[in-house]
Amino acid sequence: MSEKQSIMDIDTVSLDDENAQIVIIDQTLLPYETKTIRLTTQNQIWDAIYTLQVRGAPAIGVTAGFGLYLAAREIGAHAKTFEEFYPEFVKAKDYLDSSRPTAVNLSWALNMLDKVALKNKDKTVPEIVEALHKEAVRIQEEDIWACHKLGEYGLTLVKPGDGLLTHCNAGKLAATRYGMATAPMYLGQEKGYNFHVYCDETRPVLQGARLTAKELMDSGIDTTVICDNMSSSLMKEGKVQAVFVGCDRVAANGDTANKIGTSVVAIVAKHYGVPMYIMAPTSTIDMNTKTGDQIKIEQRKPEEVTEMWYKKRMAPEGVKVYNPAFDVTDHDLITAIVTEYGIARPPYTESLKKIMEIKAKAMQEQGED
Amino acid sequence: MSEKQSIMDIDTVSLDDENAQIVIIDQTLLPYETKTIRLTTQNQIWDAIYTLQVRGAPAIGVTAGFGLYLAAREIGAHAKTFEEFYPEFVKAKDYLDSSRPTAVNLSWALNMLDKVALKNKDKTVPEIVEALHKEAVRIQEEDIWACHKLGEYGLTLVKPGDGLLTHCNAGKLAATRYGMATAPMYLGQEKGYNFHVYCDETRPVLQGARLTAKELMDSGIDTTVICDNMSSSLMKEGKVQAVFVGCDRVAANGDTANKIGTSVVAIVAKHYGVPMYIMAPTSTIDMNTKTGDQIKIEQRKPEEVTEMWYKKRMAPEGVKVYNPAFDVTDHDLITAIVTEYGIARPPYTESLKKIMEIKAKAMQEQGED
C-alpha cells in the first residue's frame, strides 16, 4: 500500500468476513508508512491491541467485537450445543479482555456480545454465531453513527474559517470513521468550512503530531502542529475559536478524563475565553463515577519521556519521571460536552442525566421497533 | 574530563587570562557528555555563541565581555595610540554583536566595555586594555552577585520540603553560577531545605530535560522531569508550592517574555493558586518597553518540532508548524518578580520603578566610593 494513499480512504478497522480476518491500519508505522495488516488468529488480535497497532477506545471496542465474533465462528465449527459452545466463548472473551484492561470500550463491546450469546442460548450454534456477527457489525455501525452525530452537533458550535485546537488523537484512527474531536472538522471540510486546525503534538507519545496531523492533512484540512506548551501564545493571538477533544471517561458531574495535558489546554482556554468542548459518545459517560477524583489514572513508563523516539537519551540517566497517561479536566473548565444525543451544558449533573435519559428512551423505542 | 564529574564544579564560562583563552562547558553535548572547550580566536568565540555551545542571556553576556577584552589585548599588541586602537576595537565589537542579535545581554556587555574604552581614551593603550580586563571580570562578578541575591530573595518565598517547578533552563548553565530560577534551589540545598524540583522538559529543544535536570541532579537535588503538559496534574495533586522561572525581558508593567510555554505554566499555576515567581536580574528589566505587546517574539525553524532529536520524522512531511521560541506571561499571572535589589509585587508599574530607583541609587553610591 503506497505511502501516498490517503489514510481517509482506508477503514481503521474492518471485517473481512469471507476470509475470517480483521483488517486494520497498523498505527505503529504512522506517519511514516500507511499499511494495513490482516489479523487471523486470536493471538494476532490480542497482540494488535496490546502493541497499539490498533488504538483509541472506540476502535479497540470494534476490533474486540469482530475478534470475539471470529472466535465464536471458530468454536461454532466444532461445538454442537450451547453448552459446548459457551465455556469456550467465555474463555475467548476473557483472553481478548486481558489485552488492555484500562480501555473501557474493550470490555463494553465484549460484554455486548456476551449478552447476545446468552439471549440466544436456546437457538442453534450457527444461529448464535450469526447473531454475534450481527452484533459485532452493529457495534461498528453504532460507532460510525455516533461519531457522525458528534460531528453534526459539534458543527453547530463553530463557524466557517474558525481556528480549532485539538489534543492527542480522538480522530478517525481512534474510532472507525469521523472520529470524535475530528468529526466536526471532517463534516465541516465536506461543507467547505475551511477550518484551520492546530494539533498539540501530545508528549510523550506524540499522537497529535504522528496521527491527528496525518489524518487531517490527508483529508485536505489546513493543519498546524504545535508543541503542547504553545497553546497560550496561539490563543493570545486570537487564532483559536474552539477546542475539541475526545475523552476516556466522563464522570456524572462532567469531570473528564482524557490524555495527559487536556486539563492544561482547558485551563488555558478558560483564561482566554475560548470554549472547550468534550466530544463524548455516550459509551464514555460513566454515571456511576460521581467525580473525576474517582477515576484511576494510569502511570506509564519513564522511558517514554526520557528516551523513546530519540537518537540519544533525552534526560540524565536515573532522573525521576512523572509520566501520567491521562489527566482529569474539571467540569468548571468545560464549556459543553457534545454527545450523539445532544449537547450537555453546565450544570452537568443535570444535563448529563438528561442526555442519558434521552438515550435510554431512544434505545427503548429502537427495541420496540 | 570525565562524564561522572559534577557539572556544578565547572564554571559555565571562565577566563584563562594567562593563555588568553575563554573556557566554556560545551552545552551542545549535554546531558551525554560534560566537556569544556577553549576558545582562542574571535571566530571561535563567535561560533560558540552562534551554535549554542554557550547559551543563556547572562552567560552570553559574560562570554562576549571576555571575548572583546581578548580582542582588545590582541589589538593592543600592535596599536600604539587610542586612534589606532579604537576603530579595530569597534570592528571586533560589531563582529561579536552579530553572533546572536536577539540576546539582550550580548550587546549590553559589549556596550559596557565600549564605554570603558571611551572613558579611558586619554590613557595609554596597555592601560585601556587593563581597564577592559577589569570591566569584563566585573561583569562576571556582578552576574554571580546578582544571581546569589536572587537566590537569597527567592529563598524567603518558600520553605523546606517544598515542591518547586521550573521551565526551560534559567540555571547555572545559563548564567555563570547559581543561575536565576535555580538560585533559591541551590542556596536551599546548601541549607538542607530538601526541595523536590520538577523540570518541564521544555519542547521543542528540551533545555529542561537536558540541562536543568542535569545540573540539579549533579548538585544532589531531588529532580523529576515532566512533559510540559503535565503541570496541571502535578499541581492538582498538591505537589508544587511555587514556580520559579527566568526571563528574557521584563516590560515596565511586569509582562515577562521567557521561553515558550512559560505563560502556560503561569495560567495553570494561577488556576491552582500556586505562586508564580519571575527571577529577574535587573539587566533583564526594560523600562523602555511598556508592555509585553511591544516584545518581538522569535519564530524558529519547523524542524525543531518535527524532526530534531528523533530517529525518524515526528510529524508528516509538509505539515505546518507553529514554533515560537518565547511567549509573554501577562503581569496579572505573576505573583512577584524577584530581582537582586528586592522583590517586586503588583502593581508592577510602581514596584519595578522603585526597584530601578534602588538600583540607580546603589550604583551612584558605588560610583561615589
Side-chain angles (χ1 to χ4, degrees):
Chain A
M1 199 151 286
S2 154
E3 208 174 327
K4 297 289 169 213
Q5 185 177 1
S6 168
I7 210 162
M8 301 309 285
D9 298 334
I10 312 163
D11 282 333
T12 306
V13 185
S14 63
L15 177 67
D16 176 353
D17 197 37
E18 199 178 317
N19 294 303
Q21 288 175 330
I22 301 171
V23 186
I24 63 166
I25 297 172
D26 183 350
Q27 298 193 35
T28 58
L29 302 177
L30 290 173
Y32 324 115
E33 196 184 346
T34 302
K35 192 179 152 188
T36 55
I37 51 172
R38 293 177 164 269
L39 313 172
T40 307
T41 68
Q42 294 292 304
N43 282 352
Q44 284 171 345
I45 297 165
W46 191 97
D47 281 347
I49 296 172
Y50 180 76
T51 64
L52 311 184
Q53 288 179 308
V54 59
R55 49 151 290 287
I60 290 173
V62 169
T63 306
F66 287 152
L68 189 53
Y69 153 63
L70 291 181
R73 198 170 131 163
E74 239 180 274
I75 299 163
H78 59 262
K80 300 216 157 34
T81 64
F82 180 77
E83 286 65 33
E84 277 176 50
F85 172 85
Y86 193 65
E88 281 193 62
F89 174 81
V90 169
K91 210 172 141 187
K93 170 180 174 276
D94 291 346
Y95 175 66
L96 286 176
D97 205 16
S98 70
S99 59
R100 260 191 103 187
T102 47
V104 176
N105 293 51
L106 175 66
S107 52
W108 170 83
L110 296 171
N111 287 334
M112 294 295 269
L113 263 70
D114 191 25
K115 276 183 199 165
V116 166
L118 289 170
K119 199 176 158 189
N120 290 282
K121 66 176 178 177
D122 297 329
K123 299 200 176 148
T124 67
V125 170
E127 280 169 345
I128 294 170
V129 170
E130 187 43 35
L132 290 168
H133 178 203
K134 272 189 183 151
E135 180 64 5
V137 170
R138 192 194 65 75
I139 286 171
Q140 180 173 42
E141 283 169 354
E142 191 183 306
D143 174 57
I144 294 169
W145 173 81
C147 287
H148 195 274
K149 291 301 284 185
L150 293 184
E152 288 175 10
Y153 284 117
L155 212 53
T156 67
L157 301 168
V158 290
K159 55 181 201 311
D162 273 357
L164 309 177
L165 175 66
T166 187
H167 187 72
C168 195
N169 177 262
K172 86 111 173 178
L173 287 164
T176 50
R177 211 174 294 166
Y178 308 113
M180 288 75 75
T182 52
M185 300 166 190
Y186 293 135
L187 262 58
Q189 177 72 358
E190 287 171 12
K191 291 177 198 286
Y193 267 45
N194 292 318
F195 290 133
H196 305 282
V197 181
Y198 298 91
C199 310
D200 269 354
E201 64 174 3
T202 317
R203 282 283 289 157
V205 188
L206 301 157
Q207 295 90 339
R210 292 190 304 114
L211 307 179
T212 310
K214 171 74 176 160
E215 51 169 283
L216 290 170
M217 284 183 78
D218 275 10
S219 71
I221 292 173
D222 181 57
T223 307
T224 299
V225 169
I226 64 169
C227 295
D228 300 333
N229 60 21
M230 296 172 184
S231 58
S232 168
S233 286
L234 206 57
M235 289 187 198
K236 193 173 185 182
E237 291 176 19
K239 288 184 175 152
V240 180
Q241 278 65 53
V243 178
F244 286 105
V245 296
C247 54
D248 288 74
R249 202 195 297 209
V250 179
N253 73 340
D255 287 353
T256 293
N258 190 43
K259 182 57 57 202
I260 186 74
T262 303
S263 66
V264 169
V265 178
I267 292 166
V268 172
K270 190 180 182 180
H271 177 74
Y272 290 107
V274 173
M276 172 83 190
Y277 298 116
I278 305 291
M279 304 302 279
T282 48
S283 59
T284 61
I285 299 174
D286 182 358
M287 298 302 282
N288 294 323
T289 298
K290 285 208 168 56
T291 75
D293 291 343
Q294 292 172 21
I295 302 175
K296 193 174 156 54
I297 302 296
E298 174 189 3
Q299 281 272 346
R300 296 176 58 87
K301 59 180 181 174
E303 289 75 15
E304 284 186 354
V305 175
T306 55
E307 45 191 293
M308 272 177 76
W309 304 106
Y310 295 91
K311 284 179 207 168
K312 298 185 183 181
R313 272 191 67 86
M314 286 292 320
E317 290 280 350
V319 68
K320 293 201 292 185
V321 173
Y322 171 81
N323 184 15
F326 303 98
D327 68 5
V328 172
T329 301
D330 281 347
H331 59 280
D332 64 2
L333 291 168
I334 298 168
T335 310
I337 297 175
V338 180
T339 80
E340 72 275 30
Y341 290 100
I343 301 173
R345 292 191 180 268
Y348 294 111
T349 30
E350 287 167 32
S351 59
L352 288 179
K353 212 173 142 193
K354 200 158 183 178
I355 291 279
M356 296 314 262
E357 283 165 7
I358 294 168
K359 181 187 184 180
K361 207 177 154 194
M363 294 190 72
Q364 208 177 8
E365 279 166 8
Q366 225 176 5
E368 282 166 3
D369 279 347
Chain B
M1 199 151 289
S2 154
E3 207 172 331
K4 298 290 171 212
Q5 184 176 2
S6 167
I7 207 161
M8 301 309 285
D9 298 334
I10 312 162
D11 282 334
T12 306
V13 184
S14 62
L15 177 69
D16 177 353
D17 197 37
E18 197 177 320
N19 294 303
Q21 290 176 327
I22 302 170
V23 186
I24 62 166
I25 297 173
D26 182 350
Q27 298 194 35
T28 59
L29 302 177
L30 292 171
Y32 324 114
E33 196 184 346
T34 302
K35 193 180 152 189
T36 55
I37 54 172
R38 291 178 164 267
L39 312 173
T40 308
T41 68
Q42 293 292 303
N43 281 352
Q44 284 171 346
I45 297 166
W46 191 95
D47 281 347
I49 297 173
Y50 180 76
T51 63
L52 310 184
Q53 286 178 310
V54 59
R55 49 150 291 288
I60 289 173
V62 170
T63 306
F66 287 153
L68 188 54
Y69 154 64
L70 290 181
R73 199 169 128 162
E74 239 180 273
I75 299 162
H78 59 261
K80 302 218 153 40
T81 64
F82 180 78
E83 285 64 35
E84 275 178 53
F85 171 85
Y86 192 66
E88 281 192 61
F89 175 80
V90 170
K91 209 172 144 188
K93 171 180 172 275
D94 291 345
Y95 175 66
L96 286 176
D97 204 15
S98 70
S99 60
R100 260 191 105 189
T102 48
V104 176
N105 294 50
L106 174 65
S107 51
W108 170 82
L110 295 171
N111 287 333
M112 295 294 270
L113 264 70
D114 191 26
K115 274 183 202 165
V116 167
L118 289 170
K119 200 176 157 188
N120 290 281
K121 66 178 180 175
D122 296 329
K123 299 198 176 152
T124 67
V125 169
E127 280 168 346
I128 294 171
V129 171
E130 188 43 36
L132 291 169
H133 178 203
K134 271 190 184 152
E135 180 64 7
V137 170
R138 194 195 63 77
I139 287 172
Q140 180 173 43
E141 283 170 354
E142 191 183 305
D143 174 56
I144 294 168
W145 172 82
C147 287
H148 195 275
K149 290 302 282 184
L150 293 185
E152 287 174 11
Y153 284 118
L155 213 55
T156 67
L157 301 169
V158 290
K159 55 182 201 311
D162 273 356
L164 309 177
L165 175 66
T166 187
H167 186 73
C168 195
N169 177 263
K172 87 111 172 175
L173 286 164
T176 50
R177 213 173 295 165
Y178 308 113
M180 289 76 74
T182 52
M185 300 167 190
Y186 293 134
L187 262 59
Q189 176 73 356
E190 286 171 13
K191 293 177 196 284
Y193 267 44
N194 291 318
F195 290 132
H196 305 283
V197 181
Y198 298 91
C199 310
D200 269 353
E201 64 174 4
T202 317
R203 282 283 288 156
V205 187
L206 302 154
Q207 293 92 339
R210 292 190 304 115
L211 307 179
T212 310
K214 171 73 177 160
E215 51 168 283
L216 291 170
M217 285 183 78
D218 274 10
S219 71
I221 292 174
D222 180 57
T223 307
T224 300
V225 169
I226 66 169
C227 295
D228 300 331
N229 60 21
M230 295 171 184
S231 57
S232 168
S233 286
L234 206 60
M235 290 188 198
K236 193 173 184 178
E237 289 174 21
K239 287 184 176 153
V240 180
Q241 278 65 53
V243 178
F244 286 105
V245 296
C247 54
D248 288 74
R249 200 194 298 204
V250 179
N253 72 339
D255 287 353
T256 293
N258 190 41
K259 183 57 56 200
I260 186 75
T262 304
S263 68
V264 169
V265 178
I267 293 167
V268 172
K270 189 179 183 182
H271 178 74
Y272 290 107
V274 172
M276 173 83 191
Y277 298 116
I278 305 291
M279 305 302 279
T282 48
S283 59
T284 61
I285 299 175
D286 181 358
M287 299 301 282
N288 294 323
T289 298
K290 285 207 166 59
T291 74
D293 291 343
Q294 292 172 18
I295 302 174
K296 193 173 157 54
I297 301 297
E298 174 189 5
Q299 282 274 343
R300 294 177 59 85
K301 58 181 180 173
E303 290 73 17
E304 283 185 356
V305 175
T306 55
E307 45 191 291
M308 271 177 78
W309 304 105
Y310 295 91
K311 284 178 207 166
K312 298 184 183 183
R313 270 191 71 84
M314 287 290 320
E317 289 279 350
V319 69
K320 291 200 294 186
V321 173
Y322 171 81
N323 184 14
F326 303 98
D327 67 7
V328 172
T329 301
D330 280 349
H331 59 281
D332 64 2
L333 292 168
I334 298 167
T335 309
I337 297 175
V338 180
T339 80
E340 73 274 28
Y341 289 100
I343 302 174
R345 293 192 178 268
Y348 293 111
T349 29
E350 287 166 32
S351 58
L352 288 180
K353 211 174 142 191
K354 201 159 183 176
I355 291 279
M356 296 314 262
E357 284 165 8
I358 295 169
K359 183 188 182 179
K361 206 176 155 193
M363 293 191 73
Q364 206 176 9
E365 279 166 9
Q366 225 176 3
E368 282 165 6
D369 278 349

